[in-house]
């Protein structure tokens, strides 16, 4: 078998495995691996902008640092729609109700367009106020504003692509979004220097060029994604006639999706709030905090990917009336992630100094960063446990439960512990807060999951659109 064949065998489409029958480990692996690659590609997407803008000017690099939190906030506010669509598609697919899955996907796309246009308009109008609140200097503010205005104007393309990924994942296809993402990242990386520096026939646009490259590549990815879903030959099918928003269905999307938006927004706000505590310390501590959080974002990529896989497996098995299999998938994911990430934590503890030195040549920054990494390293496995069970909650439609666990972990435990611990322990108190909240989050998620209330999360009951209202020709009629 050639190397290409070996690599290809790692990626299997939904037609090659059944999420509701047979073994659990293999389909969960085949679901999660493409998500890991997709997340790595997303990281490459962000690094490309940072790489080229860092070579353009210091002000441009600082401007992108201020713009990213606002982009994350806008996406977090709207992510509930994509989560709701993914969960509904997963449960209807598991129940064998293909037409209902198609209708749910079509409605999700329709509401996503409206929601992203509204969020984009708000972001465009409030960008100056937000960046000023974040403390952008006079030298940085114009560039950051220009970047965010372009992003806000093209938010419908960026958010639309995330919805495409979510709907395909709910159906059980994570390979197609990975391939589309790869093409989008490649286009962005190629376009960046041409638009930023004004190479060839393009005008020099600076930081605004990076935003244009991002929006353009996302728009192309969305066009490809829509073509795939309209064709319906791979993944879930959507219909233009069913994309017109139906207000009764809006209530269902809001009920499922609003807690997911709260979870994402709360996570974004808590990260920014913790920065206020970190900012009380010298620049070496601030730099160490930045290094540590970036390392964690890479370490936890497998946990995030597996959690998405568990979300899909739980959704499809709940829809198929098989909650025991959903529980087995969540338990297997929790045990596997705990073991893998605990091992990564041990390696990180021993190599913390070497890891930190990759990011900074300053011995003091390296020393503080290594301390941060060592304090958190032994809690890595607990993050895997929490992610596995909150993913299962979301798949069962219990998005409010997943949001509550996230808020408890970040807002009720991590922030207060950090605030009170910095008094007697200095910056070490912040590192302790990470470790304590990671362990507490896992214990809360596990205990809540064992209550079993998620088993009642069947969303396929026709409480919004009657099955008879969706005929085979795809036209929704009145009852």
């Amino acid at each position: 078998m050639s190397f290409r064949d070996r690599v290809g065998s790692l990626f299997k489409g939904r037609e090659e495995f059944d999420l509701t029958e047979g073994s659990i480990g293999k389909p969960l692996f085949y679901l999660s691996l493409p998500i890991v690659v997709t997340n790595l590609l997303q990281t490459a997407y962000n690094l490309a902008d940072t790489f080229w803008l860092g070579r353009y000017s210091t002000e441009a690099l600082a401007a992108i640092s201020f713009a990213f939190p606002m982009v994350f906030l806008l996406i977090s506010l709207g992510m509930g729609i994509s989560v709701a669509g993914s969960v509904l598609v997963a449960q209807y697919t598991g129940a064998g109700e293909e037409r209902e899955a198609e209708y749910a996907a079509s409605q999700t796309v329709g509401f996503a367009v409206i929601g992203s246009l509204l969020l984009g308009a708000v972001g465009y109008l409030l960008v100056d106020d937000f960046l000023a609140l974040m403390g952008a200097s006079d030298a940085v503010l114009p560039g950051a504003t220009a970047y965010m205005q372009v992003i806000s104007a093209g938010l419908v393309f960026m958010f639309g692509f995330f919805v495409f990924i979510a709907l395909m994942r709910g159906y059980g296809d994570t390979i197609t979004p990975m391939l589309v993402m790869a093409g989008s990242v490649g286009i962005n990386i190629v376009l960046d220097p041409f638009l930023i520096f004004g190479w060839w026939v393009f005008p020099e646009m600076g930081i605004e060029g990076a935003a244009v490259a991002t929006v353009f590549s996302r728009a192309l990815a969305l066009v490809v994604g829509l073509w795939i879903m309209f064709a319906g030959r791979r993944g879930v099918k959507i219909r233009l006639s069913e994309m017109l928003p139906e207000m009764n269905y809006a209530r269902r999307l809001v009920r499922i999706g609003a807690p997911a938006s709260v979870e994402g927004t709360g996570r974004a706000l808590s990260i920014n709030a913790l920065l206020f505590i970190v900012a009380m310390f010298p620049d070496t501590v601030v730099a160490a905090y930045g290094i540590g959080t970036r390392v964690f974002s890479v370490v936890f990529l497998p946990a995030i990917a597996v959690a998405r896989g568990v979300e899909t497996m739980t959704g499809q098995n709940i829809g198929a009336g098989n909650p025991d299999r959903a529980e087995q998938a969540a338990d297997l994911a929790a045990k596997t992630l705990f073991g893998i990430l605990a091992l990564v934590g041990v390696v990180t503890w021993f190599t913390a100094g070497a890891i930190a030195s990759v990011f900074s040549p300053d011995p003091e920054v390296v020393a503080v960063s290594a301390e941060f990494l060592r304090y958190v390293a032994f809690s890595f496995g607990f993050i895997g446990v929490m992610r596995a069970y909150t993913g299962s909650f979301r798949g069962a439609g219990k998005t409010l439960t997943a949001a509550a666990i996230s808020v408890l972990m970040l807002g009720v435990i991590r922030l207060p512990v950090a605030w009170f611990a910095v008094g007697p322990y200095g910056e070490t108190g912040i590192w302790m807060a990470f470790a304590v909240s990671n362990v507490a989050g896992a214990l809360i998620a596990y205990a809540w999951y064992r209550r079993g209330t998620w088993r009642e999360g069947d969303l396929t009951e026709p409480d919004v659109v009657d099955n008879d209202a969706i005929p085979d020709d795809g036209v929704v009629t009145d009852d």
Side-chain angles (χ1 to χ4, degrees):
M1 181 182 291
S2 67
F3 175 76
R4 181 177 180 181
D5 291 335
R6 291 180 184 275
V7 172
S9 68
L10 294 175
F11 300 96
K12 293 184 181 295
R14 182 180 182 274
E15 68 281 356
E16 298 177 79
F17 57 82
D18 190 339
L19 300 183
T20 59
E21 293 181 359
S23 66
I24 293 175
K26 285 185 177 180
L28 184 58
F29 172 78
Y30 290 133
L31 270 177
S32 303
L33 182 59
I35 300 175
V36 173
V37 176
T38 300
N39 289 342
L40 287 172
L41 290 169
Q42 176 63 43
T43 301
Y45 209 99
N46 295 333
L47 289 176
D49 283 353
T50 303
F51 175 84
W52 289 115
L53 289 173
R55 280 149 181 75
Y56 184 75
S57 72
T58 302
E59 290 77 16
L61 187 59
I64 201 76
S65 299
F66 276 100
F68 274 150
M70 186 173 180
V71 175
F72 184 46
L73 181 60
L74 289 173
I75 295 297
S76 297
L77 285 169
M79 72 177 291
I81 298 175
S82 63
V83 170
S86 176
V87 170
L88 286 169
V89 168
Q91 291 205 13
Y92 280 128
T93 300
E97 299 176 358
E98 182 178 342
R99 285 295 295 112
E100 285 77 6
E102 294 173 356
Y103 185 75
S106 301
Q107 284 288 295
T108 300
V109 172
F111 279 106
V113 170
I114 295 174
S116 57
L117 288 174
L118 291 175
L119 282 173
V122 171
Y124 190 93
L125 294 174
L126 298 181
V127 59
D128 283 329
D129 294 334
F130 181 87
L131 293 173
L133 180 64
M134 292 290 292
S137 66
D138 292 339
V140 171
L141 188 59
T145 299
Y147 181 91
M148 278 311 306
Q149 285 178 338
V150 174
I151 293 294
S152 296
L155 191 66
V156 65
F157 303 115
M158 299 180 65
F159 189 64
F161 181 58
F162 289 134
V163 169
F164 161 69
I165 292 175
L167 294 176
M168 295 292 285
R169 183 178 65 242
Y171 182 78
D173 183 353
T174 54
I175 296 178
T176 302
M178 177 190 73
L179 297 175
V180 178
M181 171 68 88
S184 177
V185 170
I187 292 171
N188 183 77
I189 292 174
V190 171
L191 275 180
D192 259 350
F194 284 89
L195 297 180
I196 292 171
F197 297 100
W199 291 358
W200 196 36
V201 297
F202 297 95
E204 181 180 340
M205 301 177 69
I207 187 173
E208 196 171 358
V212 171
T214 296
V215 170
F216 179 77
S217 57
R218 289 294 201 214
L220 284 182
L222 176 59
V223 169
V224 173
L226 289 174
W227 176 77
I228 291 171
M229 290 192 292
F230 276 123
R233 288 190 293 271
R234 188 175 183 89
V236 67
K237 181 180 179 64
I238 61 174
R239 290 174 167 81
L240 186 62
S241 61
E242 296 177 1
M243 288 173 58
L244 184 66
E246 203 273 322
M247 297 315 297
N248 285 331
Y249 216 92
R251 286 195 289 270
R252 170 178 278 195
L253 291 176
V254 169
R255 185 174 71 249
I256 303 169
S261 289
V262 170
E263 179 183 357
T265 304
R267 190 177 296 275
L269 292 176
S270 67
I271 292 172
N272 289 325
L274 196 59
L275 281 172
F276 285 102
I277 300 176
V278 176
M280 297 188 298
F281 292 90
D283 289 344
T284 52
V285 176
V286 177
Y289 177 80
I291 291 172
T293 52
R294 281 166 177 76
V295 171
F296 301 153
S297 67
V298 175
V299 168
F300 298 148
L301 279 178
I304 296 171
V306 172
R308 294 300 188 190
V310 171
E311 179 183 312
T312 299
M313 286 199 71
T314 298
Q316 292 205 13
N317 281 284
I318 288 290
N322 194 358
D324 288 341
R325 181 176 169 84
E327 183 174 356
Q328 291 169 10
D331 287 342
L332 175 62
K335 293 174 184 176
T336 303
L337 286 174
F338 182 85
I340 293 174
L341 291 180
L343 180 61
V344 172
V346 172
V347 174
T348 300
W349 195 91
F350 283 106
T351 61
I355 293 172
S357 64
V358 172
F359 296 91
S360 175
D362 187 330
E364 190 173 355
V365 171
V366 170
V368 178
S369 301
E371 181 190 42
F372 184 16
L373 292 174
R374 289 194 177 102
Y375 262 93
V376 184
F378 286 118
S379 69
F380 283 0
F382 292 94
I383 282 290
V385 172
M386 188 203 71
R387 288 284 189 176
Y389 288 123
T390 53
S392 190
F393 280 128
R394 280 191 293 270
K398 300 295 183 180
T399 50
L400 182 59
T401 302
I405 293 171
S406 180
V407 170
L408 281 171
M409 174 189 170
L410 298 173
V412 179
I413 299 175
R414 182 174 294 179
L415 275 175
V417 170
W419 177 260
F420 289 107
V422 293
Y425 300 109
E427 71 270 12
T428 303
I430 302 174
W431 319 151
M432 293 168 59
F434 271 80
V436 169
S437 61
N438 288 347
V439 174
L443 295 176
I444 293 170
Y446 176 79
W448 211 326
Y449 196 79
R450 287 290 165 252
R451 294 176 63 217
T453 54
W454 57 272
R455 290 172 171 268
E456 305 164 3
D458 190 349
L459 303 172
T460 61
E461 292 298 321
D463 60 328
V464 176
V465 178
D466 204 342
N467 288 346
D468 294 335
I470 310 177
D472 291 337
D473 62 3
V475 180
V476 179
T477 60
D478 295 331
D479 291 336

